[in-house]
Amino acid sequence: MCYFCKAASTVLDTLWAETDLREYFHDLGIDLTVLGPLTHEVFVPAYRAVKDQLDLEAMHLLEAQVTEDLLAPFYDRPGFRQVWEEWDQLTREDFVREQSELQLAELLLRFYADEFAEAYKAAYKAYAVQS
């Protein structure tokens, strides 16, 4: 599962539990077992579309802060710096990207839940029309 899939899935799960998104899909006769496998194809593009509509400079600053906040506790763990140094650059980047994208998704949900819900509904609707 790619890091965008994990973030998009986290958004879907949160919206499902905390908004009227569940009712919307239940009215269509659809539940999470149907939606889950569509994460990469349907919901990742919707997640990225919402994220891409946000102020680019603010997003870069937010991503940098999330990454810094993410890594700070790890640096204090015994042995983490050694492991970090042993990893190649790609492994380090993948670790940071996956963890920071999840935290960023959770943070963005606090402010843009409605936008994500509408994007996810529209993405599924477009998918259903094509299928």
Side-chain angles (χ1 to χ4, degrees):
M1 183 179 273
C2 73
Y3 60 90
F4 282 125
C5 286
K6 290 179 181 182
S9 180
T10 296
V11 169
L12 178 61
D13 290 345
T14 303
L15 291 172
W16 191 265
E18 297 178 3
T19 69
D20 66 348
L21 191 72
R22 179 187 332 202
E23 290 176 30
Y24 172 82
F25 282 111
H26 276 298
D27 289 347
L28 296 175
I30 298 166
D31 63 19
L32 278 178
T33 60
V34 173
L35 299 176
L38 303 176
T39 298
H40 186 77
E41 181 180 358
V42 175
F43 299 116
V44 165
Y47 168 79
R48 293 186 73 182
V50 171
K51 191 176 158 191
D52 290 347
Q53 290 177 5
L54 303 175
D55 179 81
L56 187 61
E57 185 175 327
M59 283 302 298
H60 285 301
L61 292 172
L62 186 57
E63 287 172 347
Q65 185 61 50
V66 165
T67 300
E68 183 178 318
D69 292 348
L70 168 78
L71 288 177
F74 285 106
Y75 285 138
D76 295 335
R77 289 185 182 175
F80 180 76
R81 287 182 190 263
Q82 179 184 350
V83 170
W84 182 263
E85 293 301 321
E86 291 173 1
W87 286 347
D88 62 25
Q89 186 63 28
L90 181 59
T91 302
R92 282 186 232 144
E93 289 172 7
D94 286 346
F95 173 80
V96 169
R97 184 172 289 140
E98 179 180 312
Q99 298 303 312
S100 63
E101 194 66 42
L102 281 172
Q103 286 190 0
L104 183 61
E106 291 170 357
L107 182 61
L108 291 175
L109 265 169
R110 293 181 193 168
F111 303 100
Y112 300 103
D114 292 340
E115 288 83 350
F116 280 115
E118 292 306 312
Y120 277 34
K121 289 175 190 177
Y124 182 79
K125 186 177 181 179
Y127 168 80
V129 167
Q130 291 177 347
S131 296

